[in-house]
Amino acid sequence: MRAILLSGGLSLILSLIGTRYAIRVLRAKGYGQEIREEGPESHKTKRGTPTMGGIVIIFATLLAYGLAKLLTGELPTASALLLLFLFAGCGLVGFLDDFIKIYRQRNLGLRSRAKMIGQTFIALVFGGVAISPWMEDKDGIRPASLHISLLRDWTAWTIPAVVVMALIWVIVTGTSNAVNLTDGLDGLAAGASVMVFGAYTLINIWQSNQSCFSELRTPGPNCYDVRDPLDLAIVAAAITGATFGFLWWNASPAQIFMGDTGSLALGGGLAGLAILTRTELLLLILGGLFVMETLSVMMQVSYFKATKGKRIFRMAPIHHHFEMLGWEQVTVVIRFWIITGLLVAGGMGLFYAEWVAGA
């Protein structure tokens, strides 16, 4: 528990200080955000705001985790290292996208195909290692399993490894792109991510306390077959603290944007936590806001093509639709935060209720 508090507290401080410094450096270098021409008119005033702030979130997380392990004298676990690899790897793909936008002074960075190739490579490396028999611990548990999971593994179905790899690819690319789509208003993606990562911190702590392999417990329906849950909690706390610190500067009016560097990293981190904690389907509830944003884009594009020009929403993703209806940006953000809070509360309630029923 001491490492969790250290990790979260250190990342918060590092992010608060680091983001302020990043704003100064990025402004001096002229690394500002390009705004898409078809976006809401009110966003044109944001042109030139420093971007790539996700770099601070990534480095604050990595440094805080490392310091927490050093100060407590503990060694990193395979699950935590895999999660950090996915988190930083997706962030690297986003960084390349942001850098190209800034270097070429345009709103188009990496081509969609190139971005997908990068995300696919990171996802498959992560998945391949996570399900490898070589990664089994002394209890025979791998970081990721060969089962579908809502709140724990459905062991009645064992899925072929190739199908598991495909599902991991879908979860990683889908979640990272979903957070990326949500990052369109000041503080929206950061605030929502803080709540979901905070929920996963608590889930991991609970799974550690109720581990099937604890000396105080025996395997049964009310315990969890998860490898390294406590160390996953340390990483989740670090990401929560780093994102919270960044939100101080990203809240309206934003002084810096996280860019694809931050949004893809956060999405990758959420996907990794869902996979490694055996709660893949629960992520659909906890991260319901990101699902809603993605579905709004899919519906808009599909309907536009099917009707040859008609639209369901005034603009997608859906947060822009409410802007076009006349809602203030702050109003949209706060109400979407409320939606996220309700979804997180519902997901956590479901997680706990299932344990109570099993107990």
Side-chain angles (χ1 to χ4, degrees):
M1 184 62 71
R2 188 161 62 99
I4 295 173
L5 296 174
L6 279 171
S7 182
L10 287 170
S11 64
L12 173 63
I13 295 169
L14 290 168
S15 183
L16 272 170
I17 298 172
T19 304
R20 180 68 190 94
Y21 178 74
I23 292 170
R24 193 177 306 164
V25 172
L26 293 170
R27 277 181 178 163
K29 292 184 176 294
Y31 288 177
Q33 177 72 40
E34 293 295 319
I35 306 298
R36 61 173 181 162
E37 293 300 324
E38 66 274 19
E41 194 64 31
S42 60
H43 287 213
K44 300 296 173 64
T45 59
K46 299 180 181 181
R47 188 185 304 275
T49 301
T51 188
M52 292 197 299
I55 295 174
V56 180
I57 297 176
I58 295 171
F59 277 101
T61 297
L62 296 176
L63 188 55
Y65 173 80
L67 287 172
K69 301 301 285 186
L70 183 65
L71 292 172
T72 56
E74 300 171 359
L75 293 174
T77 62
S79 297
L81 293 176
L82 274 170
L83 178 56
L84 290 171
F85 165 78
L86 183 61
F87 175 69
C90 289
L92 177 60
V93 175
F95 171 79
L96 294 174
D97 186 58
D98 286 334
F99 183 79
I100 292 172
K101 289 176 185 175
I102 293 170
Y103 182 75
R104 296 186 177 176
Q105 292 293 298
R106 64 182 191 186
N107 192 48
L108 177 64
L110 283 174
R111 302 281 180 186
S112 57
R113 183 178 178 182
K115 185 185 291 188
M116 183 57 70
I117 289 173
Q119 290 173 299
T120 298
F121 175 77
I122 297 297
L124 294 183
V125 171
F126 165 81
V129 176
I131 66 173
S132 171
W134 294 349
M135 300 301 292
E136 290 183 355
D137 62 8
K138 60 182 176 60
D139 298 309
I141 302 297
R142 306 176 190 180
S145 72
L146 301 178
H147 305 282
I148 292 291
S149 311
L150 172 61
L151 305 170
R152 63 179 75 240
D153 281 342
W154 290 338
T155 54
W157 298 343
T158 299
I159 305 172
V162 65
V163 178
V164 172
M165 290 291 288
L167 289 173
I168 288 175
W169 173 78
V170 169
I171 294 169
V172 172
T173 57
T175 308
S176 58
N177 287 321
V179 178
N180 184 237
L181 289 172
T182 307
D183 185 34
L185 296 179
D186 296 352
L188 177 56
S193 295
V194 164
M195 286 184 259
V196 184
F197 277 110
Y200 267 114
T201 304
L202 296 177
I203 286 172
N204 280 302
I205 292 172
W206 185 258
Q207 288 179 332
S208 176
N209 291 337
Q210 307 298 326
S211 172
C212 291
F213 303 100
S214 167
E215 295 180 358
L216 303 178
R217 305 194 64 81
T218 55
N222 60 333
C223 65
Y224 300 93
D225 297 330
V226 175
R227 175 170 176 170
D228 313 315
L230 193 61
D231 214 20
L232 290 175
I234 297 172
V235 179
I239 300 175
T240 303
T243 310
F244 215 156
F246 177 80
L247 181 60
W248 178 270
W249 305 102
N250 183 237
S252 183
Q255 298 182 50
I256 189 171
F257 300 137
M258 69 171 68
D260 284 16
T261 307
S263 60
L264 294 185
L266 292 175
L270 288 175
L273 281 167
I275 294 164
L276 298 174
T277 58
R278 277 65 161 167
T279 57
E280 292 96 335
L281 296 179
L282 182 62
L283 180 59
L284 295 176
I285 300 174
L286 297 175
L289 177 69
F290 305 126
V291 176
M292 181 179 73
E293 295 275 5
T294 304
L295 288 177
S296 71
V297 174
M298 294 171 65
M299 291 167 60
Q300 184 85 322
V301 172
S302 300
Y303 190 74
F304 185 86
K305 290 180 178 179
T307 60
K308 298 180 180 178
K310 294 184 180 179
R311 291 176 169 84
I312 300 175
F313 307 106
R314 294 195 177 187
M315 185 175 291
I318 197 169
H319 55 258
H320 290 320
H321 170 76
F322 291 104
E323 276 192 282
M324 301 297 283
L325 290 177
W327 290 23
E328 293 291 334
Q329 287 189 47
V330 173
T331 302
V332 178
V333 170
I334 291 176
R335 288 179 177 172
F336 277 34
W337 282 353
I338 292 171
I339 291 172
T340 302
L342 292 172
L343 289 167
V344 166
M348 293 294 289
L350 179 64
F351 179 82
Y352 182 66
E354 188 269 348
W355 182 85
V356 171

